[in-house]
Amino acid sequence: MVHSLRLVLGDQLSRGLSALADLDPADDVVLMAEVAEEAGYVPHHKKKLAFVFSAMRHFAEALRAEGIAVDYRRLDGDQAHGSLGEALAAAVAHHRPQRIVMTEPGEWRVLAMMRDWRERFDADVEIRADNRFLASHEDFRDFAEDGRKTLRMEHFYRLMRRRTGYLMHGEAPEGGRWNLDADNRRPLPADIALPERPAFAPDRITRAVLAMVEARFGDNFGRLTPFAHPVTRADALASLDWFVANALPFFGDYQDAMRQGAPLLFHSQLSALLNCGLLDPRECCRRAEDAYHAGAAPLNAVEGFIRQIVGWREFVRGIYWLKMPDYAQANALDARRPLPDFFWTAETEMNCLAQAIGETRDNAYAHHIQRLMVIGNFCLLAGLDPVAVQQWYLLVYHDAYEWVEMPNVVGMILYADGGLFASKPYAASGSYIDRMSDYCGRCRYDVKRRTGPDACPFNHLYWDFLARNRDRLKDNRRLAVVYRTLERMDPARREAMRRDAARFLEALA
Ligand code: FAD
Ligand code: DLZ
Ligand code: SF4
């Protein structure tokens, strides 16, 4: 009889996971299961599926190499199960454990299942806190309920800097400023050399997974090959080393830049590794901080990187657990339009969108500014339905889990929560994209024109969005200047933009 059955989910691949603490290899068994429900609750990008299953299988091998018994149920094996609950029931019947130990999941939906398991199984079910985050749910609730009218990432971030001590001199931030974002908006010089990334050739395990994904999920969105993603702890550490040495020094300066044909620039591409547990946020921040102290990376880069991880990443998780389950349905701007077909085909004459969606299809990755200011900005201005947009972001990116995807979509890009943490909608006209990228020079539209058949659609959509939402947004002080500009605009011009925007939106299939 097994003492403890320890469930490890596909995004819990950390040796230091709370569910694996106090594990006794003599008496305990680890359960991991590839199941149809997790593979299908949204039709994930093929590369995301391959990444998750390959990382799961490698993690199971690493545990076995330590002498730990792993009951691993494969989707293409004899013991395939429809859901995590079914897999657990079968494992409980087989091992008859005294207790079942698990770490709380990243999604509300799965936590609801885990709570049901307490009733369902004749064993103690222990759900432990996820120790891979720096702020607990209680920490975030304390922050949110500390007499605040608004929830701002910046306030939370300072709290986290003080708590972790990253880039701190006692109570003061390194360099005298907490946030160096203003230094991080440089357009990319044409002649800058981009570092070559390491590629991780698929091994036997990954090749078997690629074949399974092609056979079972061949119709899902996205390109499966070439597949060169890290899938083991060793590869994840090599990716972190590579980033710190080669890209971190430039990460800050060019964090907001976009270039055609260069999907990664100086971004880390560590999100999927962090989110599935192969990297720990603390080790990433520590490595970046060490590089700063060694003089190998400037402060704006290191502060920017640490802010994304201990600031934004922890903050959005806090928002998710604070506001679920209602958050999923938020639609403050009453947006109803379905997703246009080009979100699946990348076939649009708007070059910036064609590039960002095409790269998403090929790589299951787009960097933050593409997600926020190109695709996200379009979703906001076109009034796309928040539930449809959430589903798209959740399925297309290899780092996507609801806890991180949803606040970025609902709160950050769509303002669907009415400004819970964004002080204004991130709406922008084409000139932002023109300033930060080389997309417009290769576009059939003219970024300088606001009306007419050749006008950049972001321009008339931007003004139309503001006019359409005037009653909801006009009292926002951060929008006072743009609303004054809108009021002063020649009425004929305003009407022309409204007509062009309406025509454009009607033509979206
Ligand atoms: P880098 O630019 O190198 O940043 C370093 C790390 O900071 C990232 O790996 C990530 O862990 C963290 N980070 C940066 N920004 C954010 C943020 N806004 N929220 C949370 N963490 C952040 N990130 C996800 O991990 N999963 C998602 O499903 C996801 N969906 C998003 C949806 C939208 C609409 C937007 C605007 C952003 C989304 N992000 C998501 C955040 C961000 O775009 C990605 O984390 C980032 O692009 C991943 O690439 P990278 O590892 O190269 O990041
Ligand atoms: C994303 C994913 C996929 C595609 N498949 C599995 C799976 O078969 N088994 C599993 O344990 N986890 C999988 N995951 C990750 C889960 O969806 C994730 O643990 C939940 O969404 C909670 O964050
Ligand atoms: Fe995008 Fe407009 Fe530039 Fe074309 S002109 S790439 S649509 S911003």
Side-chain angles (χ1 to χ4, degrees):
M1 185 165 169
V2 162
H3 183 259
S4 301
L5 184 64
R6 293 166 187 269
L7 177 66
V8 173
L9 302 176
D11 56 353
Q12 297 183 335
L13 310 179
S14 316
R15 187 61 186 88
L17 186 76
S18 56
L20 298 177
D22 64 19
L23 175 142
D24 181 349
D27 285 337
D28 297 351
V29 169
V30 171
L31 171 66
M32 298 179 69
E34 299 168 3
V35 297
E37 190 171 63
E38 294 310 303
Y41 71 95
V42 287
H44 305 278
H45 191 297
K46 288 195 279 253
K47 273 201 168 92
K48 179 181 176 187
L49 288 168
F51 169 67
V52 173
F53 292 144
S54 177
M56 284 177 74
R57 291 184 186 189
H58 280 96
F59 187 73
E61 287 297 299
L63 292 178
R64 285 188 182 127
E66 272 188 61
I68 296 168
V70 183
D71 180 347
Y72 192 99
R73 290 161 190 255
R74 284 165 55 152
L75 206 53
D76 55 354
D78 302 337
Q79 296 175 306
H81 298 288
S83 67
L84 291 170
E86 269 179 38
L88 189 57
V92 167
H94 182 70
H95 301 289
R96 294 188 298 112
Q98 286 169 8
R99 56 174 195 161
I100 309 169
V101 182
M102 55 198 79
T103 295
E104 62 181 358
E107 305 200 346
W108 179 269
R109 160 187 81 76
V110 182
L111 183 63
M113 286 185 219
M114 283 188 178
R115 287 184 172 146
D116 286 347
W117 295 341
R118 284 196 169 129
E119 310 297 316
R120 182 165 161 196
F121 295 114
D122 187 21
D124 288 341
V125 173
E126 198 181 318
I127 306 173
R128 298 182 176 172
D130 193 336
N131 55 335
R132 299 168 306 160
F133 290 91
L134 287 90
S136 67
H137 300 318
E138 293 70 35
D139 291 337
F140 195 81
R141 214 168 299 123
D142 289 348
F143 157 77
E145 289 169 1
D146 190 17
R148 290 169 201 283
K149 282 206 199 97
T150 50
L151 295 174
R152 292 285 175 264
M153 193 289 292
E154 185 62 26
H155 301 148
F156 174 77
Y157 170 53
R158 292 181 189 190
L159 212 71
M160 294 298 285
R161 285 275 295 281
R162 286 200 179 92
R163 159 109 67 91
T164 57
Y166 295 140
L167 296 177
M168 293 296 291
H169 279 299
E171 282 296 292
E174 178 78 28
R177 284 154 69 200
W178 289 100
N179 183 326
L180 279 72
D181 201 26
D183 303 349
N184 290 359
R185 294 175 190 152
R186 293 175 57 181
L188 207 64
D191 57 354
I192 195 163
L194 300 176
E196 204 176 312
R197 303 247 158 191
F200 299 87
D203 64 1
R204 177 184 50 82
I205 294 178
T206 303
R207 286 197 301 273
V209 166
L210 291 173
M212 179 183 82
V213 170
E214 192 52 65
R216 288 174 178 248
F217 304 97
D219 292 337
N220 282 27
F221 177 71
R223 264 181 84 173
L224 180 59
T225 54
F227 184 92
H229 211 275
V231 287
T232 65
R233 169 77 178 151
D235 290 354
L237 285 173
S239 302
L240 176 59
D241 285 348
W242 181 90
F243 169 69
V244 171
N246 297 282
L248 178 64
F250 307 95
F251 175 83
D253 285 352
Y254 306 119
Q255 204 177 333
D256 288 5
M258 297 175 279
R259 175 181 286 178
Q260 186 146 340
L264 287 156
L265 299 173
F266 299 103
H267 291 274
S268 69
Q269 210 187 15
L270 296 178
S271 50
L273 299 170
L274 278 161
N275 296 351
C276 82
L278 288 178
L279 287 178
D280 186 86
R282 295 169 191 88
E283 70 190 342
C284 295
C285 293
R286 226 175 293 120
R287 289 294 311 279
E289 195 184 25
D290 289 349
Y292 169 69
H293 289 306
L299 186 58
N300 69 320
V302 174
E303 186 282 318
F305 181 70
I306 288 180
R307 175 165 21 93
Q308 305 310 319
I309 293 186
V310 305
W312 279 114
R313 186 169 184 270
E314 296 280 333
F315 181 79
V316 296
R317 175 177 184 256
I319 294 283
Y320 176 79
W321 287 106
L322 191 71
K323 293 295 170 187
M324 276 301 277
D326 298 347
Y327 203 58
Q329 303 306 323
N331 192 0
L333 299 183
D334 195 27
R336 306 271 165 210
R337 193 173 300 285
L339 240 53
D341 276 353
F342 68 73
F343 274 66
W344 307 111
T345 62
E347 285 169 15
T348 164
E349 291 185 309
M350 298 173 76
N351 187 40
C352 52
L353 279 167
Q355 297 304 318
I357 295 173
E359 287 172 6
T360 300
R361 176 200 57 210
D362 292 348
N363 308 326
Y365 177 90
H367 71 66
H368 187 62
I369 296 302
Q370 294 174 306
R371 295 189 204 193
L372 179 69
M373 297 308 295
V374 177
I375 306 173
N377 189 26
F378 182 83
C379 295
L380 173 73
L381 300 186
L384 303 190
D385 172 14
V387 171
V389 177
Q390 284 175 56
Q391 208 198 35
W392 187 83
Y393 274 94
L394 186 58
L395 77 89
V396 300
Y397 293 116
H398 68 341
D399 54 23
Y401 299 91
E402 225 180 60
W403 65 266
V404 52
E405 164 274 321
M406 192 184 291
N408 272 300
V409 169
V410 171
M412 187 106 89
I413 65 169
L414 296 183
Y415 204 73
D417 57 10
L420 176 69
F421 66 88
S423 56
K424 69 177 178 70
Y426 272 91
S429 66
S431 62
Y432 175 88
I433 294 172
D434 192 28
R435 195 164 60 250
M436 297 314 299
S437 78
D438 60 356
Y439 294 143
C440 299
R442 306 171 195 210
C443 185
R444 152 237 180 300
Y445 292 110
D446 183 345
V447 72
K448 301 268 183 296
R449 283 181 192 267
R450 288 182 181 179
T451 54
D454 294 334
C456 165
F458 276 108
N459 293 342
H460 49 66
L461 287 176
Y462 172 74
W463 291 107
D464 182 59
F465 166 82
L466 289 167
R468 226 168 47 226
N469 289 290
R470 184 190 277 111
D471 288 348
R472 295 187 182 97
L473 301 175
K474 68 178 184 333
D475 295 330
N476 183 318
R477 273 190 292 164
R478 294 201 58 204
L479 294 176
V481 173
V482 286
Y483 272 109
R484 265 202 304 280
T485 308
L486 184 66
E487 303 310 332
R488 282 200 213 112
M489 206 178 269
D490 171 14
R493 179 153 222 197
R494 242 184 356 230
E495 176 52 21
M497 286 201 284
R498 192 201 59 74
R499 233 182 297 117
D500 284 349
R503 203 173 297 133
F504 176 87
L505 291 172
E506 268 162 37
L508 286 179

